């Protein structure tokens, strides 16, 4: 399949851009697609879908949360002659008690997985847990740089996974048919509390960073004072609930099964990110 470009949607995101880099490091042709990237692709603008899929045989799908757009996209991919799909999904979707789903995120993800499995194509599903990169590029990054992370996460722990491991699993699935039909739950090698995570980053950066656990009510109130709409603040607090309850503390074997090696530790992530200037003062 190497003569055809590999389509990577969400190519500017945490996993997508790493998948693009890994594929290009192998000398493989890549169509890096995103709303404002090399190749314009917008989930909400179906006019962009055909150009993205033209001549493609393998696709990495990073879905748009809260939508059911993967199913019609996969149907169109079939018509374009796509043969292999790797879907970015998420842990917890089999647990009805995992999180409040007022935005329909889990419902959409379940539909996406079903669409891929029913497509008749070679498929692989990646179910990563909480990204370690949330501390350097995502939800928690600004607070970590400011030296104080305030969250309603209590002493809950998560087996944070390095996005480099996620990308490596995805690339393996995109380029090797032996991964067809597999669902890989991807995590780090052990659970880490927020206090432990912040302490690890402090050690790696040589900077004082502290974690301040808040009640949900206090956290929502802080976000509202910062200008958030109350409903949005409550919805974001709900995102933290699985972390607070330790629902992502379990360790998965996806990296071992897909790559035959252990996943990177949180300390390895922190050390590498600090060395690359990931937390500038």
């Amino acid at each position: 399949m190497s003569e055809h470009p590999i389509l990577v949607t969400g190519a500017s995101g945490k996993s997508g851009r790493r998948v693009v880099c890994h594929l290009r490091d192998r000398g493989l042709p890549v169509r890096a697609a995103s709303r404002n990237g090399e190749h314009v692709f917008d989930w909400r603008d179906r006019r962009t879908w055909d150009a993205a899929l033209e001549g493609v045989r393998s696709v990495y799908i990073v879905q748009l949360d809260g939508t059911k757009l993967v199913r019609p996209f996969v149907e169109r991919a079939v018509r374009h002659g796509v043969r292999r799909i790797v879907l970015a999904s998420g842990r917890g979707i089999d647990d009805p008690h995992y999180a409040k789903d007022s935005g329909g995120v889990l419902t959409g993800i379940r539909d996406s997985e079903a669409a891929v499995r029913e497509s008749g194509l070679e498929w692989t599903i990646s179910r990563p847990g909480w990204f370690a990169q949330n501390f350097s590029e995502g939800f928690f990054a600004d607070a970590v740089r400011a030296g104080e992370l305030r969250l309603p996460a209590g002493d809950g722990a998560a087996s944070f996974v390095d996005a480099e491991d996620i990308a490596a699993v995805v690339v393996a699935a995109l380029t090797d048919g032996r991964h067809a039909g597999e669902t890989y739950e991807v995590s780090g090698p052990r659970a880490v509390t927020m206090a432990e995570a912040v302490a690890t980053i402090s050690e790696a950066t040589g900077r004082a960073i502290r974690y301040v656990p808040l009640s949900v009510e206090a956290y929502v109130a802080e976000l509202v004072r910062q200008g958030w709409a109350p409903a949005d603040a409550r919805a974001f607090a709900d995102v933290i609930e699985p972390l607070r309850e330790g629902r992502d503390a379990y360790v998965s074997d996806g990296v071992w099964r897909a790559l035959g090696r252990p996943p990177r530790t949180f300390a390895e992530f922190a050390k590498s990110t600090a060395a690359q200037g990931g937390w500038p003062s």
Side-chain angles (χ1 to χ4, degrees):
M1 298 185 189
S2 61
E3 70 272 18
H4 299 280
I6 297 172
L7 174 61
V8 177
T9 67
S12 60
K14 294 183 190 71
S15 70
R17 74 171 184 274
R18 289 174 169 86
V19 169
V20 169
C21 288
H22 287 209
L23 290 169
R24 287 179 173 164
D25 285 346
R26 293 188 178 198
L28 296 172
V30 180
R31 185 171 293 159
S34 61
R35 289 182 63 186
N36 301 301
E38 296 175 18
H39 189 99
V40 176
F41 175 82
D42 187 340
W43 276 111
R44 295 193 183 278
D45 185 356
R46 300 192 187 199
R47 296 171 298 178
T48 67
W49 293 8
D50 290 310
L53 288 165
E54 184 66 31
V56 165
R57 295 295 177 266
S58 300
V59 181
Y60 177 43
I61 296 178
V62 180
Q63 57 196 300
L64 182 63
D65 286 346
T67 70
K68 293 185 178 180
L69 293 170
V70 167
R71 185 174 293 275
F73 181 77
V74 168
E75 292 170 354
R76 195 169 301 187
V78 171
R79 294 199 296 271
H80 274 273
V82 169
R83 300 174 188 170
R84 181 177 296 163
I85 289 176
V86 180
L87 175 71
S89 184
R91 297 207 311 173
I93 70 165
D94 294 327
D95 179 0
H97 306 295
Y98 176 75
K100 297 182 179 70
D101 190 27
S102 56
V105 172
L106 295 180
T107 300
I109 293 174
R110 291 187 187 105
D111 187 69
S112 298
E113 287 202 3
V116 167
R117 291 191 173 101
E118 296 162 5
S119 67
L121 306 178
E122 291 184 17
W123 59 265
T124 309
I125 294 172
S126 167
R127 287 181 171 181
W130 280 79
F131 286 46
Q133 276 73 11
N134 282 327
F135 291 90
S136 58
E137 304 171 22
F139 300 135
F140 315 140
D142 288 342
V144 169
R145 292 188 186 99
E148 186 174 87
L149 180 60
R150 302 168 64 84
L151 285 174
D155 59 359
S159 53
F160 295 103
V161 58
D162 193 317
E164 293 291 344
D165 283 341
I166 298 169
V169 170
V170 169
V171 168
L174 285 169
T175 58
D176 189 337
R178 289 178 296 179
H179 300 281
E182 295 286 354
T183 298
Y184 292 124
E185 286 218 356
V186 184
S187 79
R190 77 172 187 90
V192 178
T193 67
M194 299 302 289
E196 289 173 325
V198 166
T200 301
I201 295 169
S202 293
E203 182 177 356
T205 59
R207 296 174 51 225
I209 307 166
R210 70 181 189 129
Y211 164 59
V212 180
L214 300 175
S215 68
V216 173
E217 292 73 19
Y219 182 67
V220 169
E222 283 196 4
L223 293 183
V224 170
R225 286 196 295 272
Q226 293 169 19
W228 289 54
D232 291 341
R234 176 62 62 173
F236 191 70
D238 288 344
V239 170
I240 308 298
E241 181 184 12
L243 180 58
R244 182 173 63 253
E245 300 296 329
R247 294 186 188 132
D248 271 314
Y250 65 98
V251 173
S252 302
D253 64 356
V255 174
W256 270 111
R257 288 175 53 222
L259 306 177
R261 64 162 176 82
R264 294 217 300 175
T265 66
F266 192 87
E268 288 172 322
F269 151 75
K271 184 177 180 179
S272 174
T273 302
Q276 296 168 17
W279 290 288
S281 301

